[in-house]
Amino acid sequence: MSTSPSLSGAERADGASVRIGALVPLTRPGWVEAGRHLLTGLELAVGDVNDAGGIGGRPLELVVRDTAADPRRAAAAVDELAGLGVAALAGEYHSVVARAAAARADAVGLPFLCSSAVLDALTEQPTEWVARLAPAQSHGWQIYADFLLGAGHSRIAVAVKPSVYWASGTRILRDHLVPQGGSVIELDMRALTPTAMCDELVDAGATALLLLVGHPEPAASIVSSVRRDRRLAGFLIGAPAGQPECADWATLGEDGAAISFLRYLPDRLGPLGARVEAVLREQLAEAPSFVAFEGYDTVLVLADVLRSHGVGRARTAQSWPQVAVEGTRGQIRFSRTPGISVWQWAWAPVQVVDRDPAAPDRFRILHTG
Protein backbone atom coordinates (compact mmCIF):
# COMPACT_ATOMS: atom_id res chain seq x y z
CA MET A 1 0.00 0.00 0.00
CA SER A 2 1.30 3.41 -0.93
CA THR A 3 -0.19 6.86 -0.88
CA SER A 4 0.12 9.18 -3.86
CA PRO A 5 1.75 12.51 -3.06
CA SER A 6 -0.13 15.76 -3.49
CA LEU A 7 1.80 17.66 -6.13
CA SER A 8 0.08 21.02 -5.93
CA GLY A 9 3.11 22.57 -4.25
CA ALA A 10 5.75 20.29 -5.70
CA GLU A 11 4.76 19.78 -9.32
CA ARG A 12 7.96 21.48 -10.43
CA ALA A 13 9.94 18.55 -9.08
CA ASP A 14 12.67 17.40 -11.41
CA GLY A 15 13.50 14.16 -9.60
CA ALA A 16 11.68 11.26 -8.07
CA SER A 17 9.69 11.62 -4.89
CA VAL A 18 11.30 11.44 -1.46
CA ARG A 19 9.75 8.41 0.17
CA ILE A 20 9.06 7.75 3.85
CA GLY A 21 8.07 4.31 5.03
CA ALA A 22 5.02 4.31 7.32
CA LEU A 23 4.31 1.47 9.76
CA VAL A 24 0.66 1.43 10.81
CA PRO A 25 -1.71 -1.17 12.34
CA LEU A 26 -4.55 -1.33 9.82
CA THR A 27 -5.97 -4.83 10.41
CA ARG A 28 -6.76 -6.97 13.45
CA PRO A 29 -5.43 -7.91 15.89
CA GLY A 30 -3.93 -4.42 15.65
CA TRP A 31 -5.90 -1.53 17.10
CA VAL A 32 -7.37 -0.51 13.76
CA GLU A 33 -9.01 2.68 15.05
CA ALA A 34 -5.68 4.00 16.32
CA GLY A 35 -4.04 2.99 13.06
CA ARG A 36 -6.63 4.87 11.03
CA HIS A 37 -6.06 8.04 13.05
CA LEU A 38 -2.29 7.68 12.85
CA LEU A 39 -2.36 7.22 9.08
CA THR A 40 -4.74 10.15 8.58
CA GLY A 41 -2.36 12.41 10.51
CA LEU A 42 0.62 11.18 8.50
CA GLU A 43 -1.17 11.68 5.18
CA LEU A 44 -2.45 15.15 6.07
CA ALA A 45 1.06 16.30 6.91
CA VAL A 46 2.45 14.85 3.66
CA GLY A 47 -0.16 16.84 1.75
CA ASP A 48 0.73 20.01 3.63
CA VAL A 49 4.46 19.49 3.03
CA ASN A 50 3.87 19.00 -0.68
CA ASP A 51 1.58 22.03 -0.88
CA ALA A 52 4.49 24.02 0.56
CA GLY A 53 6.95 22.80 -2.10
CA GLY A 54 7.91 19.33 -0.93
CA ILE A 55 11.51 18.49 -0.09
CA GLY A 56 13.70 20.76 -2.19
CA GLY A 57 11.05 20.73 -4.93
CA ARG A 58 10.60 16.95 -4.78
CA PRO A 59 7.26 15.57 -3.57
CA LEU A 60 7.13 13.65 -0.32
CA GLU A 61 5.48 10.23 -0.55
CA LEU A 62 4.37 7.70 2.06
CA VAL A 63 4.94 4.02 1.44
CA VAL A 64 2.55 2.40 3.92
CA ARG A 65 2.84 -1.08 5.40
CA ASP A 66 0.25 -2.67 7.68
CA THR A 67 1.89 -4.18 10.78
CA ALA A 68 -1.34 -5.74 12.15
CA ALA A 69 0.26 -5.59 15.63
CA ASP A 70 2.72 -8.32 14.58
CA PRO A 71 6.37 -7.69 15.54
CA ARG A 72 7.71 -10.12 12.92
CA ARG A 73 5.62 -8.52 10.22
CA ALA A 74 6.93 -5.10 11.25
CA ALA A 75 10.57 -6.26 11.17
CA ALA A 76 10.05 -7.72 7.70
CA ALA A 77 8.47 -4.45 6.57
CA VAL A 78 11.53 -2.53 7.76
CA ASP A 79 13.77 -4.73 5.62
CA GLU A 80 11.46 -4.32 2.62
CA LEU A 81 11.23 -0.54 2.98
CA ALA A 82 14.98 -0.22 3.42
CA GLY A 83 15.40 -2.13 0.15
CA LEU A 84 12.92 0.20 -1.56
CA GLY A 85 15.15 3.15 -0.71
CA VAL A 86 12.96 5.08 1.72
CA ALA A 87 14.72 7.99 3.41
CA ALA A 88 13.28 7.23 6.84
CA LEU A 89 10.59 5.33 8.74
CA ALA A 90 7.62 6.82 10.56
CA GLY A 91 4.72 5.65 12.64
CA GLU A 92 3.67 2.58 14.61
CA TYR A 93 1.28 2.58 17.54
CA HIS A 94 1.84 -0.72 19.39
CA SER A 95 4.88 -0.65 21.67
CA VAL A 96 5.94 -4.27 21.22
CA VAL A 97 5.70 -3.88 17.45
CA ALA A 98 7.60 -0.59 17.50
CA ARG A 99 10.34 -2.26 19.54
CA ALA A 100 10.82 -4.89 16.83
CA ALA A 101 10.82 -2.22 14.13
CA ALA A 102 13.30 -0.07 16.05
CA ALA A 103 15.68 -2.98 16.54
CA ARG A 104 15.59 -3.77 12.85
CA ALA A 105 15.94 -0.11 11.82
CA ASP A 106 18.99 0.17 14.05
CA ALA A 107 20.47 -2.98 12.52
CA VAL A 108 20.05 -1.86 8.90
CA GLY A 109 20.86 1.83 9.47
CA LEU A 110 17.45 3.32 8.67
CA PRO A 111 16.27 6.42 10.60
CA PHE A 112 13.01 5.73 12.45
CA LEU A 113 10.85 8.43 14.05
CA CYS A 114 8.41 6.51 16.23
CA SER A 115 5.08 8.30 16.50
CA SER A 116 3.08 6.67 19.29
CA ALA A 117 4.71 3.71 21.06
CA VAL A 118 5.72 4.43 24.65
CA LEU A 119 7.67 1.40 25.95
CA ASP A 120 10.78 2.78 27.65
CA ALA A 121 13.13 0.13 26.28
CA LEU A 122 12.35 0.71 22.62
CA THR A 123 15.80 -0.73 21.84
CA GLU A 124 18.02 -2.92 23.99
CA GLN A 125 21.03 -0.64 23.56
CA PRO A 126 21.31 3.12 22.94
CA THR A 127 20.95 3.91 19.25
CA GLU A 128 21.50 6.95 17.06
CA TRP A 129 18.98 5.79 14.46
CA VAL A 130 15.73 6.03 16.41
CA ALA A 131 13.86 9.00 17.87
CA ARG A 132 10.42 9.14 19.49
CA LEU A 133 7.61 11.68 19.86
CA ALA A 134 5.37 9.91 22.39
CA PRO A 135 6.25 10.23 26.08
CA ALA A 136 7.98 7.21 27.55
CA GLN A 137 5.68 4.90 29.50
CA SER A 138 7.48 5.59 32.77
CA HIS A 139 6.79 9.32 32.39
CA GLY A 140 3.12 9.09 31.46
CA TRP A 141 2.18 6.28 33.84
CA GLN A 142 3.82 8.00 36.81
CA ILE A 143 1.64 11.01 36.06
CA TYR A 144 -1.35 8.66 36.00
CA ALA A 145 -0.28 7.19 39.36
CA ASP A 146 -0.12 10.71 40.81
CA PHE A 147 -3.67 11.27 39.55
CA LEU A 148 -4.85 8.12 41.35
CA LEU A 149 -3.24 9.17 44.62
CA GLY A 150 -4.60 12.69 44.33
CA ALA A 151 -8.09 11.27 43.81
CA GLY A 152 -7.77 9.25 47.01
CA HIS A 153 -7.00 5.84 45.50
CA SER A 154 -4.06 3.94 46.96
CA ARG A 155 -5.25 0.33 46.74
CA ILE A 156 -5.19 -0.31 43.00
CA ALA A 157 -6.13 -3.50 41.16
CA VAL A 158 -4.95 -4.19 37.63
CA ALA A 159 -6.77 -6.57 35.31
CA VAL A 160 -3.91 -7.82 33.20
CA LYS A 161 -3.02 -10.19 30.40
CA PRO A 162 0.63 -11.09 29.83
CA SER A 163 2.69 -8.84 27.58
CA VAL A 164 5.90 -6.88 27.86
CA TYR A 165 3.91 -3.64 27.70
CA TRP A 166 1.42 -4.49 30.45
CA ALA A 167 4.17 -5.94 32.66
CA SER A 168 6.16 -2.75 32.26
CA GLY A 169 3.14 -0.63 33.14
CA THR A 170 2.40 -2.69 36.25
CA ARG A 171 6.00 -2.33 37.41
CA ILE A 172 5.94 1.45 36.88
CA LEU A 173 2.73 1.78 38.89
CA ARG A 174 4.02 -0.39 41.71
CA ASP A 175 7.38 1.39 41.89
CA HIS A 176 5.64 4.76 42.08
CA LEU A 177 2.70 3.90 44.36
CA VAL A 178 4.26 1.61 46.98
CA PRO A 179 6.77 4.18 48.37
CA GLN A 180 3.79 6.51 48.88
CA GLY A 181 1.75 3.96 50.82
CA GLY A 182 -0.11 2.48 47.88
CA SER A 183 -0.41 -1.07 46.64
CA VAL A 184 -1.00 -2.82 43.32
CA ILE A 185 -2.99 -6.06 43.14
CA GLU A 186 -2.59 -8.08 39.93
CA LEU A 187 -5.60 -9.99 38.59
CA ASP A 188 -4.63 -12.45 35.86
CA MET A 189 -7.44 -12.37 33.32
CA ARG A 190 -6.30 -15.67 31.81
CA ALA A 191 -7.56 -17.36 34.99
CA LEU A 192 -10.54 -15.15 35.93
CA THR A 193 -13.89 -14.47 34.36
CA PRO A 194 -15.08 -10.86 34.64
CA THR A 195 -17.59 -11.96 37.30
CA ALA A 196 -14.93 -13.75 39.33
CA MET A 197 -12.71 -10.70 38.96
CA CYS A 198 -15.41 -8.56 40.62
CA ASP A 199 -15.38 -10.95 43.59
CA GLU A 200 -11.61 -10.51 43.82
CA LEU A 201 -11.96 -6.71 43.79
CA VAL A 202 -14.39 -6.81 46.71
CA ASP A 203 -12.26 -9.27 48.71
CA ALA A 204 -9.10 -7.21 48.12
CA GLY A 205 -10.66 -3.92 49.23
CA ALA A 206 -9.51 -2.19 46.07
CA THR A 207 -11.04 1.16 45.13
CA ALA A 208 -9.78 1.40 41.55
CA LEU A 209 -9.36 -1.04 38.66
CA LEU A 210 -7.03 -0.42 35.73
CA LEU A 211 -7.63 -2.18 32.42
CA LEU A 212 -4.28 -3.57 31.27
CA VAL A 213 -5.94 -5.72 28.62
CA GLY A 214 -6.92 -5.51 24.99
CA HIS A 215 -9.92 -3.76 23.49
CA PRO A 216 -12.63 -4.59 22.59
CA GLU A 217 -12.22 -7.81 24.54
CA PRO A 218 -11.79 -8.52 27.34
CA ALA A 219 -11.94 -4.81 28.23
CA ALA A 220 -15.61 -4.39 27.26
CA SER A 221 -16.76 -7.41 29.28
CA ILE A 222 -14.77 -6.31 32.31
CA VAL A 223 -16.25 -2.80 32.22
CA SER A 224 -19.79 -4.14 31.88
CA SER A 225 -19.34 -6.54 34.82
CA VAL A 226 -17.96 -3.87 37.13
CA ARG A 227 -20.66 -1.34 36.20
CA ARG A 228 -23.42 -3.87 36.92
CA ASP A 229 -22.04 -5.10 40.26
CA ARG A 230 -23.81 -3.21 43.06
CA ARG A 231 -20.93 -3.95 45.43
CA LEU A 232 -18.70 -1.81 43.20
CA ALA A 233 -20.94 1.25 42.89
CA GLY A 234 -18.78 4.35 42.42
CA PHE A 235 -15.72 2.22 41.69
CA LEU A 236 -13.05 3.98 39.64
CA ILE A 237 -12.11 2.31 36.35
CA GLY A 238 -9.06 3.48 34.45
CA ALA A 239 -7.36 2.62 31.19
CA PRO A 240 -4.00 4.39 31.18
CA ALA A 241 -3.07 3.02 27.75
CA GLY A 242 -5.82 5.18 26.21
CA GLN A 243 -8.41 2.70 24.94
CA PRO A 244 -11.34 5.12 25.55
CA GLU A 245 -9.73 7.78 23.33
CA CYS A 246 -11.00 6.37 20.05
CA ALA A 247 -14.61 6.56 18.92
CA ASP A 248 -15.15 2.79 18.82
CA TRP A 249 -15.16 2.88 22.64
CA ALA A 250 -18.62 4.44 22.32
CA THR A 251 -20.04 0.95 21.69
CA LEU A 252 -19.96 0.57 25.48
CA GLY A 253 -22.53 3.34 25.80
CA GLU A 254 -22.91 4.82 29.28
CA ASP A 255 -20.65 2.14 30.71
CA GLY A 256 -17.72 3.57 28.77
CA ALA A 257 -17.92 7.06 30.29
CA ALA A 258 -15.93 8.22 33.33
CA ILE A 259 -13.04 5.85 32.58
CA SER A 260 -9.81 7.81 33.00
CA PHE A 261 -6.94 7.48 30.55
CA LEU A 262 -3.78 9.17 29.35
CA ARG A 263 -3.96 11.58 26.43
CA TYR A 264 -1.01 13.45 24.92
CA LEU A 265 -2.55 16.82 24.11
CA PRO A 266 -2.21 20.30 25.61
CA ASP A 267 -5.11 21.92 27.45
CA ARG A 268 -5.42 24.34 24.53
CA LEU A 269 -4.13 23.93 20.98
CA GLY A 270 -2.16 26.72 19.33
CA PRO A 271 -2.92 28.06 15.84
CA LEU A 272 -1.25 25.15 13.99
CA GLY A 273 -2.86 22.56 16.22
CA ALA A 274 -6.28 24.16 15.86
CA ARG A 275 -6.01 24.24 12.05
CA VAL A 276 -4.86 20.63 11.90
CA GLU A 277 -7.57 19.58 14.35
CA ALA A 278 -10.27 21.08 12.12
CA VAL A 279 -9.02 19.28 9.00
CA LEU A 280 -8.53 15.98 10.82
CA ARG A 281 -12.04 16.19 12.24
CA GLU A 282 -13.43 16.66 8.73
CA GLN A 283 -11.40 13.82 7.24
CA LEU A 284 -12.09 11.36 10.06
CA ALA A 285 -15.73 12.41 10.49
CA GLU A 286 -15.12 12.39 14.23
CA ALA A 287 -12.93 14.10 16.81
CA PRO A 288 -9.27 13.28 16.13
CA SER A 289 -7.43 11.35 18.82
CA PHE A 290 -4.01 12.38 20.06
CA VAL A 291 -2.65 9.62 17.81
CA ALA A 292 -3.63 11.61 14.72
CA PHE A 293 -1.66 14.60 16.00
CA GLU A 294 1.33 12.34 16.63
CA GLY A 295 1.16 11.20 13.02
CA TYR A 296 1.04 14.78 11.73
CA ASP A 297 3.95 15.88 13.92
CA THR A 298 6.05 12.90 12.80
CA VAL A 299 5.97 13.97 9.16
CA LEU A 300 6.45 17.61 10.12
CA VAL A 301 9.71 16.74 11.92
CA LEU A 302 10.98 14.42 9.19
CA ALA A 303 10.23 16.97 6.47
CA ASP A 304 12.18 19.63 8.39
CA VAL A 305 15.14 17.28 8.81
CA LEU A 306 15.12 16.21 5.16
CA ARG A 307 14.95 19.81 3.96
CA SER A 308 17.71 20.98 6.30
CA HIS A 309 20.12 18.06 6.15
CA GLY A 310 19.35 16.26 2.90
CA VAL A 311 17.86 12.84 2.32
CA GLY A 312 20.91 10.78 3.31
CA ARG A 313 20.03 8.32 6.05
CA ALA A 314 23.17 8.91 8.11
CA ARG A 315 22.64 12.67 8.00
CA THR A 316 19.07 12.24 9.22
CA ALA A 317 20.19 10.12 12.16
CA GLN A 318 22.86 12.65 13.05
CA SER A 319 20.36 15.51 12.99
CA TRP A 320 18.04 14.42 15.84
CA PRO A 321 19.74 16.68 18.43
CA GLN A 322 19.43 19.69 16.09
CA VAL A 323 15.65 19.37 15.64
CA ALA A 324 13.61 22.40 16.76
CA VAL A 325 10.18 22.16 15.13
CA GLU A 326 6.95 23.83 16.18
CA GLY A 327 4.46 20.97 16.12
CA THR A 328 0.75 20.80 16.74
CA ARG A 329 1.29 20.34 20.49
CA GLY A 330 4.34 22.48 21.19
CA GLN A 331 7.97 22.80 20.19
CA ILE A 332 9.62 19.46 19.48
CA ARG A 333 13.23 18.88 20.47
CA PHE A 334 15.02 15.61 21.06
CA SER A 335 17.44 14.84 23.86
CA ARG A 336 19.06 11.93 25.62
CA THR A 337 16.88 11.10 28.60
CA PRO A 338 18.07 8.84 31.46
CA GLY A 339 16.76 5.30 31.06
CA ILE A 340 15.60 5.88 27.46
CA SER A 341 17.66 4.29 24.69
CA VAL A 342 16.44 6.49 21.81
CA TRP A 343 16.35 10.21 21.09
CA GLN A 344 13.31 11.42 23.01
CA TRP A 345 10.99 14.43 22.90
CA ALA A 346 10.90 15.19 26.63
CA TRP A 347 8.08 15.73 26.84
CA ALA A 348 4.86 15.95 24.87
CA PRO A 349 2.01 17.36 27.00
CA VAL A 350 0.27 14.75 29.16
CA GLN A 351 -3.30 14.79 30.45
CA VAL A 352 -5.48 12.38 32.37
CA VAL A 353 -8.98 12.66 30.92
CA ASP A 354 -12.26 10.78 30.73
CA ARG A 355 -15.46 10.90 28.71
CA ASP A 356 -18.15 13.04 30.33
CA PRO A 357 -21.12 10.83 31.38
CA ALA A 358 -23.45 13.70 30.47
CA ALA A 359 -21.97 13.92 26.94
CA PRO A 360 -19.74 10.94 26.09
CA ASP A 361 -18.30 12.67 23.02
CA ARG A 362 -16.86 15.37 25.29
CA PHE A 363 -13.67 14.87 27.30
CA ARG A 364 -13.06 16.13 30.83
CA ILE A 365 -9.49 17.00 31.87
CA LEU A 366 -8.95 15.47 35.31
CA HIS A 367 -5.20 15.99 35.79
CA THR A 368 -2.30 17.55 33.88
CA GLY A 369 1.27 16.32 34.10
Side-chain angles (χ1 to χ4, degrees):
M1 181 187 301
S2 176
T3 63
S4 299
S6 166
L7 298 180
S8 57
E11 56 196 5
R12 299 180 306 277
D14 296 324
S17 60
V18 177
R19 294 191 290 178
I20 294 175
L23 304 176
V24 188
L26 296 175
T27 54
R28 302 282 183 194
W31 192 357
V32 175
E33 186 77 6
R36 184 170 69 92
H37 281 234
L38 177 58
L39 182 57
T40 301
L42 292 166
E43 290 177 333
L44 175 60
V46 168
D48 286 352
V49 167
N50 286 336
D51 288 346
I55 308 299
R58 298 167 63 187
L60 190 62
E61 179 185 2
L62 284 184
V63 183
V64 182
R65 292 296 179 266
D66 174 20
T67 63
D70 184 338
R72 290 175 296 182
R73 186 166 171 170
V78 173
D79 285 341
E80 179 196 1
L81 291 165
L84 291 174
V86 300
L89 287 175
E92 194 45 48
Y93 175 80
H94 297 284
S95 282
V96 176
V97 179
R99 187 176 61 164
R104 196 66 202 138
D106 178 60
V108 301
L110 183 58
F112 175 29
L113 180 50
C114 182
S115 303
S116 298
V118 299
L119 197 66
D120 281 38
L122 205 55
T123 56
E124 293 294 331
Q125 301 295 330
T127 175
E128 300 296 320
W129 293 98
V130 183
R132 172 168 55 190
L133 289 178
Q137 189 179 20
S138 58
H139 179 72
W141 285 47
Q142 284 179 25
I143 291 172
Y144 191 88
D146 288 337
F147 155 73
L148 292 172
L149 291 170
H153 299 281
S154 59
R155 192 157 180 79
I156 312 301
V158 294
V160 66
K161 282 200 168 183
S163 84
V164 172
Y165 177 67
W166 299 128
S168 173
T170 302
R171 183 174 61 254
I172 292 164
L173 292 169
R174 181 174 284 117
D175 289 348
H176 197 66
L177 290 169
V178 170
Q180 301 183 69
S183 61
V184 176
I185 305 149
E186 290 188 54
L187 303 176
D188 187 346
M189 297 312 297
R190 295 174 301 175
L192 295 170
T193 66
T195 301
M197 182 212 64
C198 290
D199 295 336
E200 294 284 341
L201 292 176
V202 174
D203 292 343
T207 63
L209 172 69
L210 305 186
L211 304 172
L212 309 192
V213 295
H215 171 68
E217 290 296 341
S221 295
I222 292 171
V223 170
S224 296
S225 293
V226 173
R227 295 298 197 211
R228 284 158 177 70
D229 193 317
R230 294 181 179 179
R231 301 171 298 172
L232 301 174
F235 204 83
L236 183 143
I237 305 177
Q243 296 96 318
E245 168 80 1
C246 289
D248 61 355
W249 188 260
T251 57
L252 288 172
E254 293 181 359
D255 288 348
I259 295 178
S260 54
F261 63 95
L262 286 166
R263 182 171 73 163
Y264 307 128
L265 287 175
D267 292 351
R268 178 173 296 179
L269 293 167
L272 173 62
R275 179 186 69 79
V276 170
E277 192 274 342
V279 180
L280 287 170
R281 183 182 291 270
E282 180 180 359
Q283 293 187 355
L284 291 164
E286 62 191 27
S289 69
F290 67 86
V291 181
F293 291 93
E294 288 174 330
Y296 188 94
D297 285 342
T298 301
V299 170
L300 209 64
V301 169
L302 286 176
D304 181 79
V305 168
L306 294 170
R307 288 193 193 106
S308 302
H309 300 274
V311 298
R313 293 174 178 176
R315 287 197 295 268
T316 295
Q318 292 164 4
S319 72
W320 300 131
Q322 280 81 54
V323 166
V325 173
E326 193 63 34
T328 61
R329 299 162 298 145
Q331 188 175 65
I332 300 168
R333 294 179 178 271
F334 297 113
S335 61
R336 286 300 191 185
T337 304
I340 309 300
S341 59
V342 301
W343 287 98
Q344 176 71 53
W345 179 19
W347 300 98
V350 179
Q351 302 169 336
V352 179
V353 305
D354 69 3
R355 289 183 176 271
D356 188 342
D361 60 343
R362 183 172 64 217
F363 295 105
R364 304 182 297 186
I365 299 175
L366 308 175
H367 182 78
T368 300

